[in-house]
Amino acid sequence: MLFNTTYTNKNYITESKQKLGKSFSFFDKIKIGGVGSSRFIIKELSTKLQPKSNESYAIKYANIELRPKGIIVHFTNKLGRYSWIIPYYRLVIYSNETFSIHANGSFIQFIKNKNYKENKKFIQKMTDFKNTFLNLDYYDG
């Protein structure tokens, strides 16, 4: 689900807590080693994720937040901020020429540059959280 979070959005707060659980406590964040990624540079957004005001736009950035039951991808377009809620059971990650996240028929592609290389540990942590949550022991990791 995509939400405009430029300003406080009560629907976003309710849905994110309901679908993904409450955000981690301060001590859990320290134990885990952080729950947010550095920024990624967006290469392409699927049409479902493009904001309604689809004017020409400059480079867009995104970051990913871990939650107990899923992730939130926060990204910007001009002065607007948007948040995409993805439960782990719907999350699909691809890594080839680009790094991309897919869910519910939508996707977001990121450029593989130095920002991606800085986020490799975070991506592994996200994959581990997904596998643990879904009880997928058969992945080598």
Side-chain angles (χ1 to χ4, degrees):
M1 301 181 89
L2 183 67
F3 292 94
N4 183 340
T5 54
T6 307
Y7 304 104
T8 303
N9 186 332
K10 292 182 181 181
N11 291 336
Y12 161 74
I13 294 169
T14 305
E15 284 292 319
S16 65
K17 283 182 183 175
Q18 182 182 17
K19 301 236 186 228
L20 307 180
K22 290 183 179 181
S23 51
F24 289 101
S25 70
F26 177 72
F27 294 111
D28 288 338
K29 289 178 185 178
I30 292 172
K31 274 193 248 177
I32 295 167
V35 295
S37 70
S38 299
R39 68 183 186 173
F40 290 96
I41 297 177
I42 298 173
K43 180 178 181 182
E44 185 179 353
L45 288 170
S46 66
T47 54
K48 291 180 184 178
L49 293 180
Q50 291 177 1
K52 305 258 189 292
S53 61
N54 194 12
E55 302 167 3
S56 64
Y57 43 84
I59 295 176
K60 291 183 267 176
Y61 296 100
N63 67 327
I64 302 169
E65 175 189 347
L66 294 176
R67 289 282 182 100
K69 299 179 190 174
I71 65 168
I72 302 174
V73 180
H74 301 285
F75 61 95
T76 58
N77 183 28
K78 291 201 174 198
L79 297 175
R81 181 169 168 88
Y82 299 89
S83 298
W84 184 24
I85 295 174
I86 307 170
Y88 285 131
Y89 65 90
R90 295 202 184 265
L91 175 65
V92 179
I93 300 169
Y94 291 107
S95 182
N96 44 30
E97 291 91 35
T98 59
F99 169 70
S100 60
I101 294 177
H102 298 251
N104 292 340
S106 299
F107 68 88
I108 185 168
Q109 284 185 341
F110 303 107
I111 297 172
K112 279 190 167 179
N113 60 1
K114 70 175 187 145
N115 294 358
Y116 170 77
K117 291 176 183 169
E118 292 172 0
N119 281 313
K120 276 191 167 186
K121 284 185 180 178
F122 177 82
I123 293 167
Q124 184 60 49
K125 186 189 306 183
M126 179 173 59
T127 305
D128 292 344
F129 266 70
K130 176 186 175 181
N131 293 343
T132 302
F133 179 77
L134 297 176
N135 222 3
L136 301 176
D137 295 334
Y138 55 87
Y139 283 118
D140 291 336

